[in-house]
Amino acid sequence: IDDEDSLTERFDRSKERKLLDIAVIRVPRISNFTDFSPFEHYENVSLRYVDQVSDLHQPDMILLPGTKSTIADLRWLRQSGLEAAILKAADAGTLIFGVCPEQVEAAGVTEINGLGLLEMDTEFRGEKVQTQTQGVFHGVEGMLSGLNGLAYEGYEIHMGRSQQQMPALTGSRNVYGSYVHGIFDAPGITDTILKALCARKGVSFDALATFDACGYKERQY
């Protein structure tokens, strides 16, 4: 059964780096981190939760999770030095993928600069968006262009509204963002992302050794 945000044991799992290494930035107010569970279905892919620069190393992909307090966690990223490390990794071509923040709790703060990895402005409003969504990827450029034509489904839960029209997936080259939680769950999406990482690293996708995730979950139930 999927873990709740404050009751998970995932954060304390092995930090071993495998054939493909994925780092999730463990912000203090992390939420909806089960979005990344599909990457755990490959025996030779490591999914590590990182909260300090010394543990980041040089992952093949950096995932930015949702947060219950966007501005507070953005400040934490800057104070911890992880923001600078993420920006350096992005400049070096590392795949960066962010899933939307959930809400904002920063009394008195009216404006703050984001990481600057995507060209957009986001305004936080009082009304929260809570809706299921589905569609087909199109117009995706850069490293993840192989996603075009694949179907996705998931849900949105956020108070931010981007001034530019935000599709299911936006970005180019090696930096992407999405408002859709569960975006990695639909068939073929995680495989396509990992194949892009394998191509960049020069390793075989078959070497990642997948297993039957649905069967595993049924056994756990």
Side-chain angles (χ1 to χ4, degrees), residues 3-62:
D3 300 353
E4 292 189 38
D5 293 340
S6 61
L7 301 175
T8 185
E9 297 178 351
R10 280 185 169 90
F11 300 155
D12 300 318
R13 289 181 179 174
S14 171
K15 304 298 184 183
E16 175 191 2
R17 285 172 283 164
K18 299 183 180 179
L19 185 60
L20 280 186
D21 182 39
I22 299 175
V24 182
I25 303 301
R26 183 184 168 186
V27 294
R29 300 157 189 85
I30 191 171
S31 68
N32 301 102
F33 62 86
T34 52
D35 285 342
F36 311 125
S37 297
F39 292 104
E40 297 177 330
H41 301 160
Y42 304 78
E43 294 180 10
N44 288 321
V45 174
S46 51
L47 188 73
R48 302 180 295 113
Y49 289 85
V50 173
D51 60 4
Q52 53 188 2
V53 174
S54 59
D55 290 335
L56 184 61
H57 304 294
Q58 294 179 312
D60 301 293
M61 180 179 184
I62 296 176

Side-chain angles (χ1 to χ4, degrees), residues 90-111:
D91 285 341
T94 301
L95 179 59
I96 312 291
F97 199 116
V99 180
C100 78
E102 181 174 312
Q103 59 188 35
V104 60
E105 301 167 356
V109 177
T110 58
E111 186 173 339

